[in-house]
Amino acid sequence: MTTGDMETRAGRREWIALAVLCLPTLLTTVDISVLILALPRLAVDLGASSTQQLWVTDIYGFVIAGFLVLMGTLGDRLGHRTVLLAGAAGFLVASLLAAYSTSIEMLLVSRALLGIAAATVMPSVLALISQLFPNPAQMGAAMGVWGTTIMLGVILGPVVGGLLLDAFWWGSIFLMGVPVMALLLVLGPRLLPKARHPHPGRLDPLSAVLSLAALLPLVYGLKEIARAGWQAEPVGVVLVGLAFASAFVTRQRHLTHPMLDLELFRNPVVSTIVLLGLAFGFITAGTGLVSTLYMQLVEGMSPLSVALWMLIPAAAMIIGGNVGPAVARTVRPAYVLGAGMLLAAVGALIITQVSASGGLATLITGLVVMYVGGSPSATLANAVLMGAAPPEKAGAAGSLSSTGGELGVALGVAILGSVAGTVYGSAVEVPPTVPPVEAMVAGESIVGAATVAETLPEPVAGQLLDSAREAFTQALHGASVINLVLFLAVAALLVFRLRVVPPTGAAHPALPAEAGPGAS
């Protein structure tokens, strides 16, 4: 990016284009959470087993994570507008198929197709934003708007889904995608830049297969570990994914035109931002899991109450995600992001003070502080990433950032969930009068303890629940200590590795990166 680029400021047309790009972002985020509300109805209508219900819920995000790198690379070669519009068309068709599915198998295939189409959105949108807003300060503001859209999708998903389900059948939740993607198909060709790399190189089909063979088993295995524990089958699947990942890396090193240029990782800005996304995804997913379990099983809150209380940290994340880029116009991003991580560490420290009785206010306060501090990692960090990546590799860089976040989420749920389970198991004290089989169940998880307590007389049931609640509170503390250490480590890494990145509002050339002709 040159000084001339710095002086090029986006006008009304570019901001309207950003609004158009926010539409598919909002929709694909909503689609992750909205299905959960419809699950009871569609399970009855389509005769879905418990396993099929889990798959129809998970397969969308699972497929997105597996296809991100491939779609980002296709965008670099074919043009991001082309790939995004193709994904929009596919999403529209798959939405209709899902809405009018006549069997659970048809719905599963439709959800998988939705995931493939949705995988075009994140890397394409990031690359297109970098093209629309060459001015770094404006790019930071645009990323703040884009990040707000993601959080709004998380917040609005259950609300919009609930309204639709009150008035229509379960398939109506999928029809939301039809007008949104139709609007993108109409406005996209008029507003979005068409630029593409003039010498993209040939896409290597074997590399595409290897990338899918690496990411799909890896994400699936991690999700199964989170669900069923460290059993042989999911661990074996993860190892298979790692083996294919090794083969993918080896092949990229020997290709003249690799599908994913590993030289991107030599760029300290790119590699650091990818690690940041991985770490923050790890922390937020694991913390979200343990916190919501605490609210339901220790504080005794209903799922609806939990969802409403979690709107407060979500709103805090929107605020932090927009404040970070604004501050970075005059302060180096390394210091903004590093200070945010330190503030997030304070939030983790506050959560270690949550008590087993009346700890809700402390928990929400800790989550608010954590999310305010950490949220610039989704907005400012991506602005820094797209400014540092060579234009012809913007899609690959965006896909790496998104994939890192997805893997972080899977790892966070698996590892922090396991840590919480271990701490709980070592701290819970099951009354000696509880039968051995029931005692084993109660000692494994607080969910098991709650189930067993329903079969026990008083005062034994009360004693078990009191012990389980205290033990799970300690588990929450244990997960928070890990988060605290991670936040401090990431803060140091950010300041050390990104300290040469100037404020986004400074009139200067961007950092040297691998130069390449054309635009993505």
Side-chain angles (χ1 to χ4, degrees):
M1 194 176 291
T2 64
T3 305
D5 290 331
M6 297 283 297
E7 297 169 353
T8 303
R9 296 184 63 82
R12 183 176 65 176
R13 179 185 179 87
E14 285 76 18
W15 289 104
I16 294 174
L18 174 64
V20 171
L21 290 175
C22 286
L23 290 175
T25 303
L26 177 67
L27 179 65
T28 53
T29 308
V30 165
D31 226 54
I32 292 175
S33 58
V34 72
L35 182 69
I36 297 173
L37 294 172
L39 206 55
R41 293 190 192 179
L42 71 85
V44 173
D45 289 351
L46 301 181
S49 67
S50 58
T51 301
Q52 289 171 327
Q53 291 178 50
L54 290 173
W55 267 108
V56 81
T57 304
D58 288 348
I59 196 169
Y60 177 75
F62 166 60
V63 171
I64 288 178
F67 276 81
L68 278 169
V69 171
L70 175 59
M71 294 306 178
T73 303
L74 282 175
D76 287 337
R77 282 165 164 75
L78 304 178
H80 295 288
R81 190 183 78 173
T82 300
V83 171
L84 178 61
L85 294 179
F91 199 96
L92 191 155
V93 173
S95 295
L96 291 171
L97 291 174
Y100 295 101
S101 292
T102 56
S103 67
I104 189 62
E105 291 80 12
M106 182 178 175
L107 182 58
L108 281 168
V109 172
S110 300
R111 287 282 287 172
L113 293 175
L114 282 169
I116 294 172
T120 67
V121 172
M122 202 68 75
S124 296
V125 167
L126 286 172
L128 288 167
I129 288 176
S130 70
Q131 292 177 37
L132 290 165
F133 301 94
N135 179 282
Q138 286 191 315
M139 187 193 295
M143 288 294 182
V145 173
W146 170 79
T148 298
T149 302
I150 294 176
M151 286 310 304
L152 285 176
V154 174
I155 294 171
L156 293 176
V159 176
V160 175
L163 291 173
L164 287 173
L165 290 172
D166 279 344
F168 306 105
W169 88 114
W170 59 263
S172 63
I173 61 173
F174 297 111
L175 294 181
M176 289 188 295
V178 175
V180 171
M181 291 306 185
L183 186 62
L184 175 59
L185 288 170
V186 171
L187 297 180
R190 302 180 182 183
L191 294 171
L192 303 179
K194 189 180 180 180
R196 52 169 290 181
H197 195 302
H199 307 291
R202 184 177 62 87
L203 180 66
D204 178 46
L206 180 56
S207 293
V209 172
L210 287 174
S211 72
L212 296 176
L215 287 171
L216 290 174
L218 188 59
V219 175
Y220 169 75
L222 290 173
K223 286 182 178 290
E224 285 301 300
I225 288 171
R227 179 179 295 135
W230 294 85
Q231 298 182 7
E233 181 180 348
V235 171
V237 172
V238 168
L239 293 177
V240 168
L242 291 175
F244 278 112
S246 177
F248 174 79
V249 169
T250 300
R251 182 161 181 81
Q252 302 316 293
R253 288 174 174 167
H254 293 89
L255 290 175
T256 305
H257 298 287
M259 173 180 155
L260 178 64
D261 190 350
L262 300 179
E263 290 297 313
L264 277 172
F265 289 103
R266 295 182 181 273
N267 184 318
V269 176
V270 173
S271 57
T272 301
I273 297 301
V274 171
L275 285 175
L276 172 61
L278 179 74
F280 194 63
F282 177 96
I283 291 168
T284 52
T287 300
L289 171 68
V290 180
S291 297
T292 53
L293 285 174
Y294 170 88
M295 293 166 75
Q296 290 185 76
L297 300 173
V298 177
E299 292 292 333
M301 298 168 62
S302 68
L304 177 60
S305 296
V306 172
L308 293 175
W309 276 99
M310 289 300 288
L311 292 178
I312 300 174
M317 183 173 281
I318 291 176
I319 295 170
N322 285 276
V323 170
V327 175
R329 295 174 189 173
T330 54
V331 179
R332 289 182 181 270
Y335 303 141
V336 177
L337 291 169
M341 290 297 108
L342 293 178
L343 182 60
V346 173
L349 181 62
I350 292 173
I351 294 175
T352 64
Q353 305 306 305
V354 171
S355 65
S357 177
L360 178 62
T362 306
L363 174 63
I364 295 299
T365 301
L367 290 174
V368 166
V369 174
M370 180 188 294
Y371 285 2
V372 167
S375 54
S377 65
T379 53
L380 173 59
N382 274 310
V384 172
L385 170 70
M386 302 314 294
E392 72 277 5
K393 299 173 186 175
S399 69
L400 287 175
S401 173
S402 302
T403 303
E406 293 288 342
L407 290 176
V409 167
L411 284 169
V413 171
I415 295 177
L416 286 183
S418 296
V419 168
T422 301
V423 173
Y424 170 86
S426 63
V428 68
E429 295 180 1
V430 180
T433 55
V434 177
V437 175
E438 285 79 0
M440 183 177 67
V441 173
E444 289 178 348
S445 70
I446 188 172
V447 176
T451 302
V452 170
E454 294 177 354
T455 67
L456 299 175
E458 293 292 348
V460 178
Q463 294 171 355
L464 174 60
L465 285 176
D466 288 343
S467 176
R469 289 165 181 155
E470 184 62 42
F472 193 80
T473 303
Q474 293 182 35
L476 176 66
H477 296 166
S480 296
V481 169
I482 293 175
N483 292 341
L484 172 62
V485 173
L486 278 175
F487 278 131
L488 293 175
V490 171
L493 177 69
L494 289 168
V495 172
F496 177 72
R497 299 267 288 180
L498 302 184
R499 66 188 185 280
V500 296
V501 179
T504 59
H508 56 80
L511 287 172
E514 289 182 6
S520 61

